[in-house]
Amino acid sequence: GQQLNQSPQSMFIQEGEDVSMNCTSSSIFNTWLWYKQEPGEGPVLLIALYKAGELTSNGRLTAQFGITRKDSFLNISASIPSDVGIYFCAGAYNNNDMRFGAGTRLTVKP
Amino acid sequence: NAGVMQNPRHLVRRRGQEARLRCSPMKGHSHVYWYRQLPEEGLKFMVYLQKENIIDESGMPKERFSAEFPKEGPSILRIQQVVRGDSAAYFCASSPDRGGNTIYFGEGSWLTVV
């Protein structure tokens, strides 16, 4: 699996601020997934998107499947200290071609 | 519904020994994936298996690494003659037999080669 382009690589924000990260690809996908990984743990699925243009929320998290099917973004509103971690995007066309971004490392200062 | 189960969680091996990592997928999942994560890096695809078949091993090193997913029992990632550079977290993931591309990860196996 090739890597997606995920940005930014890292973010240092103040508690209460909003966060935005995105992933882009030269290939089209029919699934976009967003995961969060905390130290010493495996990635945990946050949001799954299956249709172009789809906008899905999970609490303070909102993600969108780009209309071109080549990008996706994840927003976190009103960040809190426990949002700290590494956020990965993943795109897939088929089960055997899942590609991951390099991750966005989020630090939240109280 | 139990999640993806990996064991051991932590494994220490001396250079030259063998490491065996096990993964039991979620119930109803027959697709298994192995990923490697080096410290401070992202997830690198290694291999994708279905029961008794290797579908895509394009991310597997050509030597010393092998994977299987037998008809009965867990998937095994085997690393022979380990070297220091094999020290990493190895994550297994599984996906349903039908209905989408969503994959779910286990908690990982941390291999340390000393």
Side-chain angles (χ1 to χ4, degrees):
Chain A
Q2 299 167 29
Q3 295 291 97
L4 301 175
N5 295 315
Q6 183 172 351
S7 65
Q9 192 173 21
S10 60
M11 300 183 74
F12 297 83
I13 63 168
Q14 205 72 36
E15 182 178 359
E17 290 183 354
D18 296 342
V19 172
S20 185
M21 59 192 79
N22 68 83
C23 273
T24 60
S25 170
S26 57
S27 306
I28 62 170
F29 293 127
N30 58 17
T31 302
W32 280 98
L33 307 170
W34 285 92
Y35 293 86
K36 179 188 177 187
Q37 185 181 26
E38 298 187 16
E41 302 293 333
V44 174
L45 182 66
L46 299 174
I47 293 179
L49 303 157
Y50 299 109
K51 286 169 55 175
E54 181 180 357
L55 184 71
T56 297
S57 293
N58 177 7
R60 293 178 295 106
L61 277 62
T62 302
Q64 184 157 31
F65 192 141
I67 200 72
T68 65
R69 296 172 65 190
K70 293 183 178 181
D71 62 338
S72 177
F73 72 74
L74 175 71
N75 286 346
I76 305 173
S77 62
S79 58
I80 60 178
S82 62
D83 290 333
V84 164
I86 305 174
Y87 292 79
F88 291 101
C89 64
Y93 191 78
N94 295 308
N95 270 0
N96 60 336
D97 197 19
M98 180 78 67
R99 306 177 190 184
F100 279 83
T104 295
R105 190 178 296 272
L106 178 64
T107 303
V108 180
K109 292 178 282 188
Chain B
N1 189 15
V4 179
M5 305 299 292
Q6 289 189 247
N7 71 85
R9 287 297 310 276
H10 299 275
L11 182 64
V12 179
R13 283 288 178 264
R14 294 186 184 278
R15 280 177 293 172
Q17 290 185 320
E18 179 179 287
R20 281 188 181 229
L21 310 177
R22 296 172 194 79
C23 169
S24 296
M26 289 177 71
K27 187 177 180 180
H29 291 195
S30 64
H31 302 259
V32 165
Y33 312 79
W34 285 94
Y35 289 82
R36 176 164 63 176
Q37 186 177 38
L38 296 170
E40 306 298 314
E41 293 191 11
L43 298 156
K44 296 292 173 66
F45 169 79
M46 298 182 76
V47 63
Y48 162 45
L49 311 104
Q50 292 183 26
K51 280 287 187 182
E52 299 185 275
N53 290 305
I54 296 174
I55 306 302
D56 180 356
E57 56 182 347
S58 59
M60 288 280 271
K62 292 287 184 273
E63 297 175 347
R64 301 188 297 108
F65 284 72
S66 62
E68 62 176 7
F69 189 15
K71 188 176 180 182
E72 302 290 337
S75 175
I76 306 284
L77 179 67
R78 182 182 179 206
I79 311 171
Q80 295 177 290
Q81 297 175 305
V82 295
V83 301
R84 288 243 170 91
D86 296 333
S87 296
Y90 292 85
F91 290 98
C92 172
S94 71
S95 65
D97 297 342
R98 295 187 182 85
N101 297 322
T102 306
I103 69 172
Y104 299 87
F105 283 87
E107 293 190 324
S109 291
W110 268 258
L111 172 65
T112 302
V113 179
V114 298

